[in-house]
Amino acid sequence: MMDFIDNILNGVTMYRLVLYYLAGLLVVAFLESFFGILPYDPAALAFSTILLLASSWAANAAFAYAFEAAPNVESVYITALILALIISPVSSSDAAGIGFLVFAGVWAMASKYIFAIGKKHIFNPAAFAVALTAVALGQSATWWVAGNYALLPFVFFGGLLVVRKIQRFDLVLSFFAVALVTTALTAGAGQAFTSLTQTFLHSAIFFFAFAVLTEPLTTPPDRSRRMLYGAVTGFFFAPNMHIGSYYFSPEVALLVGNLFSYVISPKGRFMLTLTRVEEAAKDTYDFVFKSDRPFYAFRPGQYVEWTLPHPYPDERGNRRYFTLASAPTRGQVRLGVKFYPKASTWKRALSEMKEGDRLSVSHLAGDFVLPKDPKEKLAFIAGGIGITPFRSMVEYLVDRNERRDITLFYANKTSADVAYGELLARAAPLGVRTIYSLSNETAPGAVGALTPELIKQHLPDYAERTFYISGPHGMVESFTKTLRALGVSRWKIKRDFFPGFA
């Protein structure tokens, strides 16, 4: 069952899945309102949603033009739908209500441009907008989507799919743990159980955690900092948290968390200019960029979000997550991509880039990095273009002349698919041994398809090693099962991950 769900999730990007989740909640809410299950006018709900979409889109287009920024329509729609789910619906005859919605939509977009440092916004746009409306207009978000039993199953199970897709259970669980403990400890005498029940059933805790807290651009890049971010936000989210007579609302709790996240996270968005394109293997190319400012504060193996605006993007939009194929020791940014016959519009736009063309990167993240202990024995398993994080690591070791005990199993169909052979050969004197596995070809120096027996044959001490696996999702899943069957602890297996496949 989980494999079936994963196959569905792998066919859609993170942003598109969130968009579907929010749109689905609104469709369910509309139907339940139509049949009298929810106490809302379905016409008002539809009107409010359309108004927020329109005002947000128009405001974002205006700000993007004024700031000469590359707009991303998906994020606009996501923010507008979140606002539609947390601000009570208004009718077309309610002038004050219409002004409230337009104000929120415009300021949600404005926050991404005005309150941004290094071309990266600091605050969650929806949270900023509703917090501002409370101060400026005296009207607050009701978070109505979270207080209805009829919607709760859809909020909960749909939200779990989102968190599973982006693998942010660490963030969500730390948020839940601290929020619930704080709720219990700050409840009145004998009221802990009642407070916890109310929080679970009537507060915004699930929708907040699944759809709002997990926004990638305001989330720290690695597990330990994500958990701190979740804990800080959870502490202020607890319904009884207050300073004097001021009680924290969900949106203000998130803004406090956003500030904390900004302080502890890498800063900004980087504009990259294409300098050259190199053929790395059959249908595989490296796009080499120079950055508009120094881009060294990352660890080999981490990934970034690449934004490439282009006309008529397909359902996956104009953003992708790819590992940085270059090392932080280099004054360049390298993207390694394999092209297939039916390429996405994003890849087609990338393939058409010329020297001097630009795109942007942001949201550095990832825990698929070298361990701090250089004496730890490692084994890498790469499939096809999954070699890119290992290229970054190996280049880093070569540049630093750093020795590590690493065995790399590099699996491909044919020798023409092998990339970065020269760099891997240069790393051999530093203890990096590469074993080339070819499933469809016999070639000198290469072995056949990578099997459990072959792993044991070439790596007798496999039980002592930490395994890193990177490649197509199916391959990663298959080798995870293979290693578990060999007796390798799940804690000794690290899998490459980024929230979307190209």
PDB file of all heavy atoms in Angstrom, residues 186-216:
ATOM      1  N   THR A 186       0.794  24.667  30.796  1.00  0.00           N
ATOM      2  CA  THR A 186       0.248  26.013  31.035  1.00  0.00           C
ATOM      3  C   THR A 186      -1.259  25.998  31.275  1.00  0.00           C
ATOM      4  O   THR A 186      -1.865  27.054  31.462  1.00  0.00           O
ATOM      5  CB  THR A 186       0.554  26.935  29.839  1.00  0.00           C
ATOM      6  OG1 THR A 186       0.031  26.346  28.642  1.00  0.00           O
ATOM      7  CG2 THR A 186       2.044  27.158  29.701  1.00  0.00           C
ATOM      8  N   ALA A 187      -1.868  24.825  31.240  1.00  0.00           N
ATOM      9  CA  ALA A 187      -3.299  24.731  31.535  1.00  0.00           C
ATOM     10  C   ALA A 187      -3.531  24.949  33.030  1.00  0.00           C
ATOM     11  O   ALA A 187      -2.634  24.764  33.860  1.00  0.00           O
ATOM     12  CB  ALA A 187      -3.838  23.371  31.104  1.00  0.00           C
ATOM     13  N   GLY A 188      -4.727  25.341  33.377  1.00  0.00           N
ATOM     14  CA  GLY A 188      -5.060  25.518  34.787  1.00  0.00           C
ATOM     15  C   GLY A 188      -5.060  24.199  35.528  1.00  0.00           C
ATOM     16  O   GLY A 188      -4.962  23.115  34.927  1.00  0.00           O
ATOM     17  N   ALA A 189      -5.162  24.286  36.829  1.00  0.00           N
ATOM     18  CA  ALA A 189      -5.143  23.090  37.665  1.00  0.00           C
ATOM     19  C   ALA A 189      -6.231  22.109  37.226  1.00  0.00           C
ATOM     20  O   ALA A 189      -7.409  22.465  37.150  1.00  0.00           O
ATOM     21  CB  ALA A 189      -5.341  23.477  39.135  1.00  0.00           C
ATOM     22  N   GLY A 190      -5.822  20.882  36.930  1.00  0.00           N
ATOM     23  CA  GLY A 190      -6.766  19.844  36.535  1.00  0.00           C
ATOM     24  C   GLY A 190      -7.335  20.012  35.145  1.00  0.00           C
ATOM     25  O   GLY A 190      -8.255  19.279  34.756  1.00  0.00           O
ATOM     26  N   GLN A 191      -6.791  20.951  34.351  1.00  0.00           N
ATOM     27  CA  GLN A 191      -7.348  21.236  33.032  1.00  0.00           C
ATOM     28  C   GLN A 191      -6.472  20.735  31.882  1.00  0.00           C
ATOM     29  O   GLN A 191      -6.761  21.017  30.722  1.00  0.00           O
ATOM     30  CB  GLN A 191      -7.538  22.750  32.871  1.00  0.00           C
ATOM     31  CG  GLN A 191      -8.539  23.352  33.834  1.00  0.00           C
ATOM     32  CD  GLN A 191      -9.928  22.779  33.625  1.00  0.00           C
ATOM     33  OE1 GLN A 191     -10.428  22.755  32.499  1.00  0.00           O
ATOM     34  NE2 GLN A 191     -10.534  22.310  34.696  1.00  0.00           N
ATOM     35  N   ALA A 192      -5.403  20.007  32.191  1.00  0.00           N
ATOM     36  CA  ALA A 192      -4.476  19.586  31.143  1.00  0.00           C
ATOM     37  C   ALA A 192      -5.165  18.724  30.089  1.00  0.00           C
ATOM     38  O   ALA A 192      -5.011  18.949  28.883  1.00  0.00           O
ATOM     39  CB  ALA A 192      -3.299  18.828  31.747  1.00  0.00           C
ATOM     40  N   PHE A 193      -5.957  17.740  30.532  1.00  0.00           N
ATOM     41  CA  PHE A 193      -6.615  16.846  29.571  1.00  0.00           C
ATOM     42  C   PHE A 193      -7.598  17.619  28.698  1.00  0.00           C
ATOM     43  O   PHE A 193      -7.647  17.433  27.480  1.00  0.00           O
ATOM     44  CB  PHE A 193      -7.340  15.716  30.298  1.00  0.00           C
ATOM     45  CG  PHE A 193      -8.058  14.769  29.372  1.00  0.00           C
ATOM     46  CD1 PHE A 193      -7.358  13.808  28.661  1.00  0.00           C
ATOM     47  CD2 PHE A 193      -9.444  14.858  29.189  1.00  0.00           C
ATOM     48  CE1 PHE A 193      -8.017  12.946  27.795  1.00  0.00           C
ATOM     49  CE2 PHE A 193     -10.103  14.011  28.320  1.00  0.00           C
ATOM     50  CZ  PHE A 193      -9.387  13.042  27.622  1.00  0.00           C
ATOM     51  N   THR A 194      -8.359  18.499  29.312  1.00  0.00           N
ATOM     52  CA  THR A 194      -9.325  19.297  28.551  1.00  0.00           C
ATOM     53  C   THR A 194      -8.618  20.186  27.538  1.00  0.00           C
ATOM     54  O   THR A 194      -9.043  20.299  26.383  1.00  0.00           O
ATOM     55  CB  THR A 194     -10.166  20.166  29.497  1.00  0.00           C
ATOM     56  OG1 THR A 194     -10.858  19.314  30.417  1.00  0.00           O
ATOM     57  CG2 THR A 194     -11.168  21.003  28.726  1.00  0.00           C
ATOM     58  N   SER A 195      -7.522  20.815  27.950  1.00  0.00           N
ATOM     59  CA  SER A 195      -6.779  21.685  27.048  1.00  0.00           C
ATOM     60  C   SER A 195      -6.198  20.903  25.868  1.00  0.00           C
ATOM     61  O   SER A 195      -6.247  21.365  24.715  1.00  0.00           O
ATOM     62  CB  SER A 195      -5.648  22.391  27.796  1.00  0.00           C
ATOM     63  OG  SER A 195      -6.155  23.311  28.727  1.00  0.00           O
ATOM     64  N   LEU A 196      -5.673  19.721  26.140  1.00  0.00           N
ATOM     65  CA  LEU A 196      -5.116  18.909  25.062  1.00  0.00           C
ATOM     66  C   LEU A 196      -6.205  18.453  24.105  1.00  0.00           C
ATOM     67  O   LEU A 196      -6.014  18.450  22.876  1.00  0.00           O
ATOM     68  CB  LEU A 196      -4.379  17.704  25.644  1.00  0.00           C
ATOM     69  CG  LEU A 196      -3.061  18.014  26.364  1.00  0.00           C
ATOM     70  CD1 LEU A 196      -2.520  16.763  27.039  1.00  0.00           C
ATOM     71  CD2 LEU A 196      -2.031  18.561  25.381  1.00  0.00           C
ATOM     72  N   THR A 197      -7.360  18.060  24.647  1.00  0.00           N
ATOM     73  CA  THR A 197      -8.471  17.635  23.794  1.00  0.00           C
ATOM     74  C   THR A 197      -8.935  18.768  22.896  1.00  0.00           C
ATOM     75  O   THR A 197      -9.169  18.584  21.692  1.00  0.00           O
ATOM     76  CB  THR A 197      -9.642  17.136  24.656  1.00  0.00           C
ATOM     77  OG1 THR A 197      -9.198  16.061  25.498  1.00  0.00           O
ATOM     78  CG2 THR A 197     -10.789  16.653  23.772  1.00  0.00           C
ATOM     79  N   GLN A 198      -9.072  19.959  23.470  1.00  0.00           N
ATOM     80  CA  GLN A 198      -9.486  21.119  22.688  1.00  0.00           C
ATOM     81  C   GLN A 198      -8.455  21.449  21.603  1.00  0.00           C
ATOM     82  O   GLN A 198      -8.809  21.822  20.483  1.00  0.00           O
ATOM     83  CB  GLN A 198      -9.671  22.328  23.607  1.00  0.00           C
ATOM     84  CG  GLN A 198     -10.844  22.217  24.557  1.00  0.00           C
ATOM     85  CD  GLN A 198     -12.177  22.251  23.818  1.00  0.00           C
ATOM     86  OE1 GLN A 198     -12.360  23.021  22.889  1.00  0.00           O
ATOM     87  NE2 GLN A 198     -13.094  21.386  24.225  1.00  0.00           N
ATOM     88  N   THR A 199      -7.184  21.298  21.952  1.00  0.00           N
ATOM     89  CA  THR A 199      -6.128  21.585  20.977  1.00  0.00           C
ATOM     90  C   THR A 199      -6.186  20.623  19.803  1.00  0.00           C
ATOM     91  O   THR A 199      -6.052  21.020  18.644  1.00  0.00           O
ATOM     92  CB  THR A 199      -4.747  21.516  21.650  1.00  0.00           C
ATOM     93  OG1 THR A 199      -4.682  22.482  22.703  1.00  0.00           O
ATOM     94  CG2 THR A 199      -3.630  21.777  20.654  1.00  0.00           C
ATOM     95  N   PHE A 200      -6.409  19.338  20.098  1.00  0.00           N
ATOM     96  CA  PHE A 200      -6.469  18.346  19.035  1.00  0.00           C
ATOM     97  C   PHE A 200      -7.702  18.512  18.150  1.00  0.00           C
ATOM     98  O   PHE A 200      -7.630  18.414  16.930  1.00  0.00           O
ATOM     99  CB  PHE A 200      -6.473  16.933  19.635  1.00  0.00           C
ATOM    100  CG  PHE A 200      -5.113  16.339  19.787  1.00  0.00           C
ATOM    101  CD1 PHE A 200      -4.640  15.966  21.032  1.00  0.00           C
ATOM    102  CD2 PHE A 200      -4.288  16.143  18.689  1.00  0.00           C
ATOM    103  CE1 PHE A 200      -3.381  15.425  21.181  1.00  0.00           C
ATOM    104  CE2 PHE A 200      -3.026  15.591  18.826  1.00  0.00           C
ATOM    105  CZ  PHE A 200      -2.573  15.229  20.076  1.00  0.00           C
ATOM    106  N   LEU A 201      -8.846  18.774  18.743  1.00  0.00           N
ATOM    107  CA  LEU A 201     -10.101  18.735  18.011  1.00  0.00           C
ATOM    108  C   LEU A 201     -10.583  20.083  17.494  1.00  0.00           C
ATOM    109  O   LEU A 201     -11.351  20.144  16.528  1.00  0.00           O
ATOM    110  CB  LEU A 201     -11.190  18.109  18.896  1.00  0.00           C
ATOM    111  CG  LEU A 201     -10.936  16.673  19.357  1.00  0.00           C
ATOM    112  CD1 LEU A 201     -12.096  16.176  20.205  1.00  0.00           C
ATOM    113  CD2 LEU A 201     -10.727  15.747  18.157  1.00  0.00           C
ATOM    114  N   HIS A 202     -10.165  21.171  18.123  1.00  0.00           N
ATOM    115  CA  HIS A 202     -10.754  22.452  17.767  1.00  0.00           C
ATOM    116  C   HIS A 202      -9.741  23.532  17.396  1.00  0.00           C
ATOM    117  O   HIS A 202     -10.135  24.630  17.018  1.00  0.00           O
ATOM    118  CB  HIS A 202     -11.627  22.971  18.917  1.00  0.00           C
ATOM    119  CG  HIS A 202     -12.776  22.074  19.239  1.00  0.00           C
ATOM    120  ND1 HIS A 202     -13.858  21.915  18.401  1.00  0.00           N
ATOM    121  CD2 HIS A 202     -13.009  21.260  20.305  1.00  0.00           C
ATOM    122  CE1 HIS A 202     -14.713  21.047  18.931  1.00  0.00           C
ATOM    123  NE2 HIS A 202     -14.221  20.642  20.077  1.00  0.00           N
ATOM    124  N   SER A 203      -8.461  23.249  17.522  1.00  0.00           N
ATOM    125  CA  SER A 203      -7.472  24.268  17.161  1.00  0.00           C
ATOM    126  C   SER A 203      -6.973  24.023  15.745  1.00  0.00           C
ATOM    127  O   SER A 203      -7.346  23.056  15.084  1.00  0.00           O
ATOM    128  CB  SER A 203      -6.290  24.246  18.140  1.00  0.00           C
ATOM    129  OG  SER A 203      -5.375  23.227  17.793  1.00  0.00           O
ATOM    130  N   ALA A 204      -6.083  24.891  15.299  1.00  0.00           N
ATOM    131  CA  ALA A 204      -5.536  24.794  13.945  1.00  0.00           C
ATOM    132  C   ALA A 204      -4.294  23.913  13.878  1.00  0.00           C
ATOM    133  O   ALA A 204      -3.573  23.965  12.887  1.00  0.00           O
ATOM    134  CB  ALA A 204      -5.200  26.195  13.448  1.00  0.00           C
ATOM    135  N   ILE A 205      -4.047  23.115  14.896  1.00  0.00           N
ATOM    136  CA  ILE A 205      -2.739  22.475  15.029  1.00  0.00           C
ATOM    137  C   ILE A 205      -2.366  21.604  13.832  1.00  0.00           C
ATOM    138  O   ILE A 205      -1.229  21.644  13.352  1.00  0.00           O
ATOM    139  CB  ILE A 205      -2.651  21.667  16.348  1.00  0.00           C
ATOM    140  CG1 ILE A 205      -1.203  21.242  16.600  1.00  0.00           C
ATOM    141  CG2 ILE A 205      -3.618  20.480  16.344  1.00  0.00           C
ATOM    142  CD1 ILE A 205      -0.957  20.723  17.996  1.00  0.00           C
ATOM    143  N   PHE A 206      -3.303  20.816  13.293  1.00  0.00           N
ATOM    144  CA  PHE A 206      -2.952  19.918  12.191  1.00  0.00           C
ATOM    145  C   PHE A 206      -2.748  20.678  10.885  1.00  0.00           C
ATOM    146  O   PHE A 206      -1.743  20.489  10.191  1.00  0.00           O
ATOM    147  CB  PHE A 206      -4.022  18.840  12.018  1.00  0.00           C
ATOM    148  CG  PHE A 206      -4.078  17.865  13.158  1.00  0.00           C
ATOM    149  CD1 PHE A 206      -5.208  17.767  13.955  1.00  0.00           C
ATOM    150  CD2 PHE A 206      -2.989  17.063  13.450  1.00  0.00           C
ATOM    151  CE1 PHE A 206      -5.261  16.876  15.006  1.00  0.00           C
ATOM    152  CE2 PHE A 206      -3.019  16.167  14.511  1.00  0.00           C
ATOM    153  CZ  PHE A 206      -4.168  16.078  15.286  1.00  0.00           C
ATOM    154  N   PHE A 207      -3.694  21.534  10.525  1.00  0.00           N
ATOM    155  CA  PHE A 207      -3.542  22.305   9.295  1.00  0.00           C
ATOM    156  C   PHE A 207      -2.321  23.216   9.374  1.00  0.00           C
ATOM    157  O   PHE A 207      -1.568  23.351   8.410  1.00  0.00           O
ATOM    158  CB  PHE A 207      -4.806  23.138   9.037  1.00  0.00           C
ATOM    159  CG  PHE A 207      -4.744  23.928   7.758  1.00  0.00           C
ATOM    160  CD1 PHE A 207      -4.940  23.306   6.534  1.00  0.00           C
ATOM    161  CD2 PHE A 207      -4.485  25.292   7.771  1.00  0.00           C
ATOM    162  CE1 PHE A 207      -4.870  24.028   5.346  1.00  0.00           C
ATOM    163  CE2 PHE A 207      -4.416  26.021   6.596  1.00  0.00           C
ATOM    164  CZ  PHE A 207      -4.608  25.380   5.383  1.00  0.00           C
ATOM    165  N   PHE A 208      -2.122  23.820  10.522  1.00  0.00           N
ATOM    166  CA  PHE A 208      -0.972  24.692  10.737  1.00  0.00           C
ATOM    167  C   PHE A 208       0.326  23.933  10.511  1.00  0.00           C
ATOM    168  O   PHE A 208       1.225  24.390   9.796  1.00  0.00           O
ATOM    169  CB  PHE A 208      -1.026  25.243  12.156  1.00  0.00           C
ATOM    170  CG  PHE A 208       0.106  26.169  12.516  1.00  0.00           C
ATOM    171  CD1 PHE A 208      -0.020  27.540  12.353  1.00  0.00           C
ATOM    172  CD2 PHE A 208       1.296  25.670  13.033  1.00  0.00           C
ATOM    173  CE1 PHE A 208       1.029  28.392  12.689  1.00  0.00           C
ATOM    174  CE2 PHE A 208       2.345  26.508  13.371  1.00  0.00           C
ATOM    175  CZ  PHE A 208       2.203  27.875  13.205  1.00  0.00           C
ATOM    176  N   ALA A 209       0.439  22.742  11.109  1.00  0.00           N
ATOM    177  CA  ALA A 209       1.680  21.966  11.021  1.00  0.00           C
ATOM    178  C   ALA A 209       1.925  21.443   9.619  1.00  0.00           C
ATOM    179  O   ALA A 209       3.043  21.501   9.099  1.00  0.00           O
ATOM    180  CB  ALA A 209       1.637  20.809  12.014  1.00  0.00           C
ATOM    181  N   PHE A 210       0.868  20.923   8.974  1.00  0.00           N
ATOM    182  CA  PHE A 210       1.047  20.268   7.685  1.00  0.00           C
ATOM    183  C   PHE A 210       1.170  21.243   6.517  1.00  0.00           C
ATOM    184  O   PHE A 210       1.952  21.019   5.594  1.00  0.00           O
ATOM    185  CB  PHE A 210      -0.126  19.318   7.417  1.00  0.00           C
ATOM    186  CG  PHE A 210      -0.233  18.191   8.397  1.00  0.00           C
ATOM    187  CD1 PHE A 210      -1.474  17.649   8.721  1.00  0.00           C
ATOM    188  CD2 PHE A 210       0.889  17.649   8.999  1.00  0.00           C
ATOM    189  CE1 PHE A 210      -1.589  16.602   9.617  1.00  0.00           C
ATOM    190  CE2 PHE A 210       0.794  16.602   9.900  1.00  0.00           C
ATOM    191  CZ  PHE A 210      -0.451  16.071  10.221  1.00  0.00           C
ATOM    192  N   ALA A 211       0.386  22.317   6.527  1.00  0.00           N
ATOM    193  CA  ALA A 211       0.293  23.176   5.349  1.00  0.00           C
ATOM    194  C   ALA A 211       1.022  24.504   5.470  1.00  0.00           C
ATOM    195  O   ALA A 211       1.369  25.109   4.462  1.00  0.00           O
ATOM    196  CB  ALA A 211      -1.187  23.452   5.026  1.00  0.00           C
ATOM    197  N   VAL A 212       1.250  24.979   6.691  1.00  0.00           N
ATOM    198  CA  VAL A 212       1.797  26.318   6.874  1.00  0.00           C
ATOM    199  C   VAL A 212       3.225  26.274   7.432  1.00  0.00           C
ATOM    200  O   VAL A 212       4.130  26.905   6.899  1.00  0.00           O
ATOM    201  CB  VAL A 212       0.888  27.160   7.798  1.00  0.00           C
ATOM    202  CG1 VAL A 212       1.369  28.602   7.857  1.00  0.00           C
ATOM    203  CG2 VAL A 212      -0.565  27.117   7.318  1.00  0.00           C
ATOM    204  N   LEU A 213       3.421  25.511   8.489  1.00  0.00           N
ATOM    205  CA  LEU A 213       4.740  25.427   9.121  1.00  0.00           C
ATOM    206  C   LEU A 213       5.798  24.897   8.173  1.00  0.00           C
ATOM    207  O   LEU A 213       6.968  25.288   8.241  1.00  0.00           O
ATOM    208  CB  LEU A 213       4.644  24.524  10.356  1.00  0.00           C
ATOM    209  CG  LEU A 213       5.931  24.258  11.140  1.00  0.00           C
ATOM    210  CD1 LEU A 213       6.412  25.538  11.832  1.00  0.00           C
ATOM    211  CD2 LEU A 213       5.722  23.140  12.156  1.00  0.00           C
ATOM    212  N   THR A 214       5.399  24.002   7.266  1.00  0.00           N
ATOM    213  CA  THR A 214       6.364  23.302   6.412  1.00  0.00           C
ATOM    214  C   THR A 214       6.771  24.093   5.166  1.00  0.00           C
ATOM    215  O   THR A 214       7.487  23.547   4.315  1.00  0.00           O
ATOM    216  CB  THR A 214       5.774  21.955   5.956  1.00  0.00           C
ATOM    217  OG1 THR A 214       4.490  22.185   5.351  1.00  0.00           O
ATOM    218  CG2 THR A 214       5.626  20.997   7.122  1.00  0.00           C
ATOM    219  N   GLU A 215       6.344  25.344   5.037  1.00  0.00           N
ATOM    220  CA  GLU A 215       6.748  26.126   3.860  1.00  0.00           C
ATOM    221  C   GLU A 215       8.272  26.086   3.713  1.00  0.00           C
ATOM    222  O   GLU A 215       9.007  26.450   4.632  1.00  0.00           O
ATOM    223  CB  GLU A 215       6.285  27.583   3.998  1.00  0.00           C
ATOM    224  CG  GLU A 215       6.489  28.378   2.722  1.00  0.00           C
ATOM    225  CD  GLU A 215       6.926  29.822   2.968  1.00  0.00           C
ATOM    226  OE1 GLU A 215       7.166  30.191   4.128  1.00  0.00           O
ATOM    227  OE2 GLU A 215       7.057  30.566   1.999  1.00  0.00           O
ATOM    228  N   PRO A 216       8.803  25.646   2.573  1.00  0.00           N
ATOM    229  CA  PRO A 216      10.242  25.384   2.459  1.00  0.00           C
ATOM    230  C   PRO A 216      11.138  26.599   2.602  1.00  0.00           C
ATOM    231  O   PRO A 216      12.215  26.515   3.180  1.00  0.00           O
ATOM    232  CB  PRO A 216      10.376  24.742   1.077  1.00  0.00           C
ATOM    233  CG  PRO A 216       9.170  25.180   0.327  1.00  0.00           C
ATOM    234  CD  PRO A 216       8.076  25.278   1.343  1.00  0.00           C
TER     235      PRO A 216
END
